[in-house]
Amino acid sequence: MSSNTTNQDDRVFHDEGLTRKLGLSTAIAIGIGTTVGSGIFTSIGEIAGASGSALFIALSFLLGGLYQIPASMFYAEIYSAYPVSGGVYKTFELAGWRPLAFISGWLNFVASDPPGLSVMALSIASYLSYFTHHSPLVGKFIAAAFILLFMFIHIRSVEGGGKLLDIITTFKIIPFVILAGVAICFARGDLLAAPAAPGAPVGIAALIAGISATTWSYDGTSQVVVCAGEIKNPRKNMPIALILTVVIITVFYTVFATAMAGLLPVAELAAAEAPVSAAVSQIPGFGSLAGTLSAALAVVVVTGTLATSVFSQPRVQYQMARDGLWFPKFGEIHPKYKTPAFSIVVQCALAIFFIFASNISEILGYFTLTISLRSIIGYLVVFKYHKRDDYHPTYHMPCWRVLSIALAIMAFIMFLGTLSWAPKASWAFIAIALVTGYIGYRYFESHYGLKVKSETKQDFGDKE
């Protein structure tokens, strides 16, 4: 080892206070559990309308998944070198880009994470109403109850919460696999081979539109980086978990989408309000059960996503507090349960507020465009890391310069596409997000950040 290379045991970073209790299976479960959600029930119809043919539906999911692999390799390299919790926020903070780091975490807290929990919980209540026929108000209380349930589970134990994620993810995937297997057996070859209908999108433009439409379905594949500080043997397990998660989901989505496209003509699939139910109803003997099966499957799937999100999302504010960029209380570990209990409670409480607040989640949705903007800058941070003496990843992204620039360009294209649907409002919210984020950064940096910087830092290595 060269003289200017810092030994892994000599690195100095903040002590996270978290212990490494989560194994490889849980790391994969976090990625799959976050990604495979209710979006797959509607995205197949959207992708059918964008791509125009069964072949392009399958290719859209396949290529959309392959598009995620470079991003997973990007995070695999960084988090095999710096296996700390905090996700994209921590990626910026470790690079010394603290203002950007704060804005990233700030936007997660006010516009993405708690509102996302509320949307998922309300979705569970909505699908349950298929069986219970409860009123919207009762549905709000049911949604709040689901959030409270997972809040208490994840406060009490990291290991217990991890085991729950393993179990829920298994149970949410098995029905999908069975349904896809049965559907493939009844898929019609003439539908799979049929050309695009007259007036439907065709050519490379249609394929690109289809791939773009899969972005939401694959969102969450890198979620495990938020919990990197709690993964056992992270320099080995983080790269495996990140890349294997994308591969598993890509295969699963491609097979499932192909099966659905083989049951129903593309035009009908695109027009259906519930495309999966409409497709499943074509399987002999499943017609009368299609709605029931789809609703039951949706409850299981979204419940798994909610459980995973309640576990992982509060780790961002926890890490921000440890770095002096958030309220110190969020950085405390429960003395008995060894979990970031306060951060979990506050985020769940805010999510419950959003459940009962009308239209606020829709307004905050504009802020998510700024979150996509950060990806453009985020993919370029690896250039800063490669100049550091303490950067020694155990996994190396192939052609890292080319792939990092390509990822930034693709993120920019996606940003422009998202921006186009409401440009004036989007730019206004981007400006608000940046201004409030910078003001917040100046406040926390002056009140807490300077104090944290002056404290003795400890190694973030593989604590057991």
Side-chain angles (χ1 to χ4, degrees):
M1 185 175 294
S2 62
S3 59
N4 67 338
T5 301
T6 308
N7 185 278
Q8 173 179 306
D9 295 331
D10 295 331
R11 293 188 187 148
V12 282
F13 286 86
H14 289 300
D15 177 15
E16 292 189 274
L18 299 171
T19 53
R20 300 191 181 278
K21 296 182 178 181
L22 305 178
L24 177 61
S25 63
T26 303
I28 295 173
I30 290 171
I32 294 177
T34 304
T35 306
V36 181
S38 60
I40 189 66
F41 289 91
T42 56
S43 64
I44 288 180
E46 295 171 357
I47 293 162
S51 58
S53 69
L55 174 61
F56 275 16
I57 292 174
L59 283 176
S60 293
F61 274 101
L62 175 61
L63 297 177
L66 294 178
Y67 162 73
Q68 300 297 322
I69 291 179
S72 292
M73 293 192 295
F74 170 87
Y75 287 115
E77 176 173 314
I78 291 177
Y79 283 89
S80 71
Y82 304 133
V84 291
S85 296
V88 177
Y89 154 78
K90 194 61 181 177
T91 303
F92 288 132
E93 199 277 334
L94 284 172
W97 298 350
R98 285 172 67 86
L100 281 176
F102 176 82
I103 291 173
S104 173
W106 159 249
L107 288 174
N108 272 17
F109 185 71
V110 301
S112 175
D113 293 350
L117 294 181
S118 69
V119 170
M120 284 182 271
L122 287 169
S123 294
I124 295 171
S126 176
Y127 287 119
L128 281 174
S129 68
Y130 182 91
F131 306 100
T132 62
H133 306 291
H134 55 253
S135 68
L137 179 59
V138 172
K140 290 179 182 288
F141 282 102
I142 292 174
F146 269 91
I147 290 178
L148 290 173
L149 171 64
F150 292 123
M151 181 189 78
F152 284 116
I153 290 174
H154 291 316
I155 283 175
R156 291 184 61 86
S157 172
V158 172
E159 291 175 293
K163 291 177 181 178
L164 174 67
L165 298 183
D166 288 345
I167 294 171
I168 290 181
T169 301
T170 300
F171 274 97
K172 72 185 286 185
I173 291 298
I174 287 177
F176 260 126
V177 172
I178 293 175
L179 183 59
V182 173
I184 282 289
C185 294
F186 290 94
R188 292 168 48 186
D190 61 313
L191 292 181
L192 292 174
V202 294
I204 190 66
L207 182 58
I208 292 175
I211 295 171
S212 179
T214 67
T215 302
W216 175 250
S217 298
Y218 282 104
D219 184 52
T221 53
S222 300
Q223 183 68 10
V224 67
V225 302
V226 175
C227 311
E230 296 164 273
I231 303 299
K232 296 178 181 177
N233 193 11
R235 293 176 178 85
K236 175 184 177 182
N237 287 337
M238 285 297 293
I240 294 174
L242 283 161
I243 295 172
L244 197 55
T245 295
V246 175
V247 172
I248 291 172
I249 294 174
T250 299
V251 171
F252 164 67
Y253 274 175
T254 303
V255 172
F256 188 78
T258 302
M260 296 300 105
L263 293 174
L264 200 66
V266 171
E268 296 181 33
L269 201 61
E273 292 185 6
V276 172
S277 294
V280 171
S281 67
Q282 303 303 306
I283 301 175
F286 276 62
S288 60
L289 298 174
T292 301
L293 289 173
S294 296
L297 185 58
V299 169
V300 174
V301 167
V302 185
T303 298
T305 305
L306 178 64
T308 306
S309 299
V310 171
F311 177 86
S312 62
Q313 289 176 178
R315 266 65 180 174
V316 177
Q317 276 65 50
Y318 165 79
Q319 190 58 53
M320 290 177 69
R322 303 290 290 191
D323 294 332
L325 289 177
W326 201 245
F327 300 103
K329 189 73 175 176
F330 282 76
E332 295 180 1
I333 294 292
H334 193 283
K336 179 178 179 181
Y337 303 130
K338 307 302 179 184
T339 59
F342 185 81
S343 187
I344 294 173
V345 168
V346 172
Q347 189 159 125
C348 289
L350 191 56
I352 291 174
F353 166 76
F354 285 131
I355 285 174
F356 291 94
S358 61
N359 298 324
I360 291 182
S361 293
E362 294 180 14
I363 294 173
L364 292 176
Y366 282 104
F367 281 117
T368 61
L369 186 66
T370 308
I371 295 175
S372 68
L373 182 61
R374 75 182 179 189
S375 298
I376 302 170
I377 305 171
Y379 286 128
L380 300 177
V381 75
V382 71
F383 288 90
K384 177 75 176 289
Y385 286 141
H386 273 267
K387 296 179 180 179
R388 293 176 58 148
D389 289 337
D390 66 349
Y391 186 66
H392 306 299
T394 54
Y395 171 85
H396 296 273
M397 178 172 57
C399 306
W400 67 269
R401 292 181 180 85
V402 175
L403 285 181
S404 298
I405 293 173
L407 285 168
I409 292 173
M410 287 188 286
F412 180 69
I413 293 172
M414 295 297 182
F415 168 77
L416 291 179
T418 306
L419 182 69
S420 63
W421 65 272
K424 292 183 179 179
S426 297
W427 280 120
F429 275 85
I430 287 174
I432 293 170
L434 294 178
V435 170
T436 57
Y438 184 73
I439 293 173
Y441 162 72
R442 297 298 300 176
Y443 171 82
F444 286 103
E445 185 76 322
S446 61
H447 282 72
Y448 309 115
L450 297 177
K451 178 182 178 182
V452 169
K453 287 179 180 179
S454 66
E455 294 175 349
T456 301
K457 298 179 181 180
Q458 303 176 29
D459 180 40
F460 68 77
D462 298 355
K463 299 184 305 228
E464 299 292 342

